[in-house]
Amino acid sequence: MRSLVVLLYIALWAFVTATYHNPRLPKTITPCHYDLKVQTHIQDIGNSHFEGSVGIVLKVLQNTDQIVLHAQNLTINEPTIKLERLMNSQIISIVSTEFNPSLDYFVIQTSKKLQKASLYYLNIEFAAQLTNTNLGYFIENLEPGNPMKRSWATVTQFERVGARYAFPCFDEPALKATFSVSLGHHKNYTSLSNTEKYGVRYQDHNIDYIWSDFKTTPKMSTYLLAYSLNQFSHISSQTQGPNSIKFRTWVHSDALQNATYVAEVTPKILQYFEKLFEIPFPMSKLDQLIMPTFKFNGMENWGLIVYREASILYNPGDIKQKQEVARLIAHELAHMWWGNLVTMSWWGDVWLKEGFSTYFSAIAVDHVHPEWQYFLESYGELQLDAFDYDDKKRINKVSISHSVVQSNTDEWEKDISVFYHKAASVIGMMSAILGRDAFYDGLRSYLKDNAYGSTTQDQLWNHLQLASDRVGALDKAYNIRTIMESWTLQRGYPCIKVQRNYQTNEVTVSQNHFANDTKSCWWVPLSFTTQSESNFSNTRPRLWLNCNAKGMAEPVTVNLKSSENEWIVFNIQSMGHYRVDYDPRNLKMISDSLLLPDHGGIHFLNRGQLIRDCMYFAKLQPKRLNQTLDLLTYLSKEREYIPWKMFKDNSAKLLAIMSPEATQKFGAEIIQPLYRKVDDLNGGNSDVILRPLIEELACKFKVKKCV
Ligand SMILES: [Zn+2]
């Protein structure tokens, strides 16, 4: 009996030591390089599968007898696992292995401790079915209506946790390594991966199968690895200059003609980013693969971007669609620096790649299509989206780096627009705070310093602070980290109240939480102009709303040099991420000015902001309805897209406080004058997108009969 207890104890001990329950990988081992071989069988309908081997060069950071890595839905050939110490070719035997499916772990127990600072080579053989899961390495049926027709393509989707479904690996973004990929496949298929193919070998035992060998990748995260087998056609294009990069856009041959714009605009945008960030694209080629039913609009795998057909193909003539295509390409290309070259250490700071790629996609589209005025238009839209997000009291902050995020079904995954739109709006504000030169100086040094590495937002703040200090962009009393973390680590946004004293000519500015439900405080950069100045180009802060040592908001009062009969407008070009609430007399002066020729000189983004915020405050306090309608009346003379877009997207707020009949009558009155001249909308910058919007509003408010 006693010996049984001892045996049981030993068995339990072995079980306990082999199990690892922390949701993050242990910091005992880091991968340096992967040799990945994957042989794919897609000829056999109903039994499509792949098998392969991965050899990983491991560096031991702390002595350990356990290797914990990720593997999910893979069959691992455990007896063939081999571990070798590279220094002396010593083979280390494996005591046991164990799957932990809830955390996607595969745990290997070694017979002796692996030594700190030593390199080891771990080889694992694996296999799995190929299914249409949109995760890991999967297969797409290109003709789903005809299952017997062998028309298939395979592709990978590894962000965030897909790589572990394709091969055993250390699947965390900070654990970067180089990858040498070899793909085994039928010779009738084209194989693609992140890097250029350097060789093709016939397989010994099967004359129809070949090995395609790809050059070693730069050091990168597992989620950016990609490969595909397909029978698509492609369009070639390239950048100009000495380090010319080869571009190929791959698509089903029927759709080739709709991909010409993709092939044409991609080199221009990539070259623009190389100049803007002052860091060359590190690869010699960039493939873009267009899949029929890919789950995401695009995925930025380094050197092999994947798109969904419906999001990227362009029918000539549809300008809005063309803009979306350009924006999507620019977004994925911005990731080559923001995410691929410099990667967030953990998914909670995914805004470091998504926010910047969203922001720079708008800048790049502006560069390749200056006629669209795209940056300002799209910035207004994404800011509105960001406010809507917080108005619905969603859960996420811009940075949730301290949360534990692990599986693909995490709560935060359902609600991610904050990492794109709000983050981009906050980044735009950052550029307005620092000024363009210090902003770009800080970003470039951040990218250069952290190239092929990973970061938290701390590194970003440090580089921006240094850049600011170099040129004195910010007063010493202001610290970038303190300012920016009030935006990235808090939910919501502030509403800024502007109250003028018309006797003393003072203006007092204060902040409130957008939903009045907490005592949050933001560091708010205040740019403004008065009627006599009418300077809508300087977006830098002239004043600050500070938080005191207890984190409480402090109002600020200044003396105006202008007359009491002039308006004051805050938040120039709406570059600050906040709403502005004016006292009634100031708002009346603004409303009167908007009716003047050129809308009294008030910038169109500020006109959009005034509409957006007034409609918001009217919904909160219906007694403000009349002053809001008074302001909106000027729209009958408005010819820019953003103010109309703000009106359209907020029109439900009017319906909430007015009868449907009154709302329709008011809407019809302001739309009618422009709708009558809708055929003339073919000259101005935003006319191409304004015209369909006006036609849509004319339908909505029954100015014209629509089906
Ligand atoms: Zn993205």
Side-chain angles (χ1 to χ4, degrees), residues 300 331-332 335 353-354 357 420:
E300 70 265 23
H331 179 98
E332 303 310 334
H335 275 312
K353 77 179 180 79
E354 296 305 343
S357 296
Y420 292 72

Side-chain angles (χ1 to χ4, degrees), residues 342-356:
V342 179
T343 312
M344 65 281 141
S345 294
W346 187 240
W347 295 108
D349 268 331
V350 73
W351 79 273
L352 288 172
K353 77 179 180 79
E354 296 305 343
F356 279 100

Side-chain angles (χ1 to χ4, degrees), residues 173-174 176 219-221 339-345 446-455 459:
K176 292 190 172 187
K219 198 174 166 197
M220 64 183 211
S221 308
N340 299 11
L341 185 68
V342 179
T343 312
M344 65 281 141
S345 294
Y446 164 80
L447 287 174
K448 281 183 191 127
D449 230 44
N450 296 294
Y452 306 102
S454 55
T455 58
Q459 277 101 324

Side-chain angles (χ1 to χ4, degrees), residues 438 441-443 445 462-473 476:
D441 182 24
L443 295 188
S445 70
N462 291 344
H463 280 273
L464 291 172
Q465 186 68 55
L466 287 170
S468 168
D469 293 348
R470 277 195 283 275
V471 293
K476 287 279 178 220

Side-chain angles (χ1 to χ4, degrees), residues 131-138 157-162 165 408:
T131 50
N132 192 354
T133 51
N134 271 302
L135 181 71
Y137 183 40
F138 62 95
Q157 170 57 35
F158 287 172
E159 185 180 3
R160 284 186 299 119
V161 294
Y165 288 76
N408 235 13

Side-chain angles (χ1 to χ4, degrees), residues 41-50 128-131 139 152:
H41 306 269
I42 48 180
Q43 300 301 89
D44 190 3
I45 293 174
N47 185 30
S48 301
H49 63 282
F50 62 92
Q129 289 297 307
L130 260 179
T131 50
I139 189 162
W152 306 89

